Amino acid sequence: EIQQNVYGMKVRLYGDVVYSDFPQLSVGVQHKRLQDSAVAYALGGADENGTDYYLAATKVHLGAAAGFNLVWNVTARATKANQLGLLGFGSQSDDNYDLMFEGSVGVLFNRHLAAGVEYRQKPDNLGLGEEDWWDVFITYIPSKSFNVTLAWAELGSIAGAPDQNGLYLSVGGQLW
């Protein structure tokens, strides 16, 4: 069993996702710490914790997709993470930051239903054939405090185990 804690902060630098002519720009940082580093070190990971830095651009285009709202996001992330940090950070031979790109695009059919695709590049620091991730999703948002997402995720090879693909279900909410 592999567990990690993730602490993050994101700050808007400029713009508004809907009302400004240009995308909203934000910068962020995520610090990740493994709770047990045995697997990461056994596979050649250099560290049990690491910090990602990123710049994100997000924009909503009203009525742009056959009359529906279109939302997109592009992110540049500086990272050392192996499998998002689940297998540690960096390696004995490569402990440098890599610049990775992420992107998503979705259609908001109404206030409660969205569908789209996501893509995320990942470095292969450990030489295990770490592949980029992608998914297609549909999200139901009945209220501001509750949502359900169903996705098909293609995660490729993870720690040498091929074809780590399948359904993903997320139920999220908040009390206030």
Side-chain angles (χ1 to χ4, degrees):
E1 185 174 304
I2 299 173
Q3 295 181 5
Q4 72 174 330
N5 292 325
V6 180
Y7 307 95
M9 182 175 68
K10 183 176 180 180
V11 176
R12 182 176 58 140
L13 296 176
Y14 169 82
D16 181 88
V17 296
V18 176
Y19 299 111
S20 61
D21 290 333
F22 296 100
Q24 176 178 300
L25 296 178
S26 302
V27 295
V29 60
Q30 283 186 325
H31 182 75
K32 303 173 184 181
R33 179 177 297 275
L34 282 173
Q35 293 199 7
D36 182 359
S37 56
V39 173
Y41 288 142
L43 292 172
D47 295 303
E48 63 186 29
N49 60 70
T51 304
D52 289 359
Y53 304 93
Y54 64 91
L55 174 67
T58 307
K59 183 70 179 144
V60 173
H61 299 277
L62 300 175
F68 299 109
N69 299 335
L70 179 74
V71 60
W72 58 265
N73 173 276
V74 176
T75 300
R77 179 182 301 268
T79 186
K80 296 181 184 184
N82 307 319
Q83 294 295 350
L84 307 183
L86 294 171
L87 299 181
F89 301 85
S91 69
Q92 303 303 322
S93 61
D94 182 5
D95 197 28
N96 297 314
Y97 276 93
D98 291 306
L99 186 61
M100 299 284 113
F101 294 94
E102 305 165 18
S104 63
V105 63
V107 175
L108 306 169
F109 296 107
N110 58 43
R111 298 171 49 126
H112 305 290
L113 188 64
V117 298
E118 300 173 303
Y119 175 81
R120 184 170 186 163
Q121 259 187 332
K122 299 187 343 288
D124 186 18
N125 298 324
L126 300 176
L128 298 173
E130 186 168 342
E131 298 175 60
D132 298 345
W133 288 3
W134 66 269
D135 68 74
V136 294
F137 67 88
I138 187 163
T139 300
Y140 176 59
I141 313 159
S143 72
K144 290 182 179 182
S145 60
F146 182 73
N147 64 77
V148 178
T149 299
L150 179 66
W152 177 261
E154 290 277 339
L155 308 181
S157 172
I158 298 177
D163 300 322
Q164 299 298 301
N165 311 313
L167 286 174
Y168 168 85
L169 176 64
S170 171
V171 178
Q174 62 189 40
L175 297 175
W176 57 90

